[in-house]
């Protein structure tokens, strides 16, 4: 009976893995799709001359802020010792990372589905459709940003990051996956569990239309990333070492 429950957890982990990729795909489209240019946009420094546009932005900004706060709260609270102890008490310690990934994906999906644009007020707008060099600059910048993020995810052990490996190891009655990792990697994981904050920061800022809602999204998520997680000199040295190892492996193939 215990093994049957563990098999169900493994299937749930696989489903969560697939759902996370689906939501990340939605996020990629949300962040990296160029926006259309409109003459109705009001430059942010002209707001004093256009009070009505400022008033129409109140509703979207308030709701978008609440969505972001909900996502940030989930992302922080579910990794607290209190929640981890709760999963252990319920016999779900092995599924902790899967539950975290699932709830994170649900919150992010809800945010993307209900996000309210406030594009009548912009900080800048660039028409990339009318200029091939600008369009390619936009595409290459976002492509490199996502490549760095996905590359970092693979280096940081994606199955372990999303929780599949923990459930599988528990089914096979192995030790915890983290126990098989080096002390340097465990130290890195204690500081940060997400790959490439720089890549995501660039994607958030590198938009052709910096509307008020996009500015809110970029500002809150960037501040949260750099406040909630931080690396030390040992982490940087370890990541440089791993990068060199990967380069040697690629040259040897």
């Amino acid at each position: 009976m215990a093994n049957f429950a563990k098999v169900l957890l493994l299937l749930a982990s696989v489903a969560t893995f697939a759902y996370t990729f689906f939501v990340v795909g939605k996020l990629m489209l949300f962040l990296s799709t160029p926006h259309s240019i409109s003459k109705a946009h009001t430059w942010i420094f002209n707001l004093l001359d256009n009070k009505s546009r400022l008033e129409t932005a109140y509703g979207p900004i308030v709701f978008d802020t609440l969505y972001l706060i909900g996502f940030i709260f989930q992302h922080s609270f579910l990794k607290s010792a209190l929640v981890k102890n709760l999963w252990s008490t319920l016999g779900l310690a092995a599924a902790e990372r899967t539950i975290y990934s699932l709830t994170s994906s649900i919150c992010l999906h809800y945010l993307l589905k209900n996000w309210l644009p406030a594009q009548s007020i912009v900080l800048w707008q660039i028409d990339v459709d009318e200029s091939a060099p600008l369009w390619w600059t936009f595409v290459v910048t976002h492509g490199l940003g996502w490549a760095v993020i996905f590359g970092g995810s693979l280096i940081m052990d994606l199955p372990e990051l999303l929780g599949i490996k923990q459930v599988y190891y528990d089914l096979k009655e192995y030790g915890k996956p983290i126990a098989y990792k080096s002390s340097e990697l465990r130290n890195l994981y204690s500081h940060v569990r997400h790959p490439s904050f720089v890549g995501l920061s660039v994607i958030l800022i590198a938009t052709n239309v910096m509307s008020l809602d996009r500015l809110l999204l970029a500002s809150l998520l960037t501040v949260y990333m750099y406040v909630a997680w931080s690396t030390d000199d040992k982490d940087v040295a370890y990541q440089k070492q791993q990068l060199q190892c990967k380069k040697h492996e690629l040259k040897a193939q």
Side-chain angles (χ1 to χ4, degrees):
M1 188 65 181
N3 282 341
F4 179 71
K6 291 180 179 180
V7 170
L8 288 180
L9 281 178
L10 181 59
L11 293 176
S13 296
V14 173
T16 296
F17 189 89
Y19 177 60
T20 299
F21 267 86
F22 170 76
V23 175
V24 170
K26 291 277 189 180
L27 178 65
M28 291 176 66
L29 292 175
F30 181 79
L31 295 179
S32 299
T33 301
H35 296 284
S36 61
I37 302 300
S38 172
K39 293 181 180 180
H41 292 162
T42 298
W43 299 106
I44 201 164
F45 49 77
N46 288 337
L47 286 181
L48 294 178
D49 299 327
N50 208 318
K51 185 178 179 181
S52 62
R53 290 192 181 277
L54 183 60
E55 291 174 346
T56 58
Y58 286 159
I61 293 303
V62 168
F63 280 102
D64 291 343
T65 301
L66 292 175
Y67 299 148
L68 284 168
I69 290 175
F71 175 75
I72 291 172
F73 175 79
Q74 174 277 328
H75 232 55
S76 299
F77 180 68
L78 261 72
K79 67 177 184 179
S80 65
L82 176 65
V83 175
K84 290 182 179 180
N85 291 335
L86 174 62
W87 299 143
S88 296
T89 302
L90 296 175
L92 295 172
E96 174 200 326
R97 194 69 195 176
T98 293
I99 296 171
Y100 185 80
S101 299
L102 176 61
T103 53
S104 296
S105 297
I106 290 173
C107 288
L108 182 57
H109 195 183
Y110 184 84
L111 181 150
L112 296 176
K113 188 175 181 179
N114 293 279
W115 189 262
L116 298 173
Q119 294 185 345
S120 59
I121 300 172
V122 299
L123 186 60
W124 69 72
Q125 58 177 348
I126 302 170
D127 193 349
V128 297
D129 292 329
E130 297 297 325
S131 172
L134 286 176
W135 188 87
W136 279 109
T137 300
F138 182 87
V139 170
V140 170
T141 299
H142 279 250
L144 288 175
W146 287 114
V148 169
I149 291 173
F150 288 125
S153 298
L154 294 175
I155 292 174
M156 293 184 74
D157 192 352
L158 189 59
E160 195 271 344
L161 186 66
L162 296 181
I164 289 182
K165 186 173 284 189
Q166 290 89 326
V167 177
Y168 177 76
Y169 275 37
D170 185 54
L171 176 64
K172 291 293 187 178
E173 297 184 349
Y174 299 154
K176 294 181 179 180
I178 195 71
Y180 297 92
K181 301 184 185 298
S182 66
S183 58
E184 293 87 355
L185 183 55
R186 290 199 298 269
N187 181 67
L188 174 63
Y189 279 2
S190 68
H191 293 112
V192 58
R193 292 290 279 170
H194 288 269
S196 186
F197 289 159
V198 175
L200 184 56
S201 298
V202 170
I203 289 170
L204 288 169
I205 296 173
T207 176
N208 69 311
V209 177
M210 180 55 81
S211 57
L212 197 58
D213 62 294
R214 180 62 174 243
L215 181 63
L216 172 72
L217 178 71
S219 301
L220 286 186
L221 288 186
T222 300
V223 170
Y224 173 63
M225 284 191 295
Y226 288 97
V227 169
W229 292 282
S230 61
T231 55
D232 55 24
D233 293 338
K234 292 181 180 179
D235 296 329
V236 175
Y238 171 76
Q239 292 182 76
K240 288 181 178 179
Q241 177 189 4
Q242 291 303 302
L243 180 60
Q244 291 301 321
C245 289
K246 293 296 180 182
K247 288 181 178 179
H248 288 309
E249 290 176 4
L250 290 174
K251 288 181 181 179
Q253 291 179 355

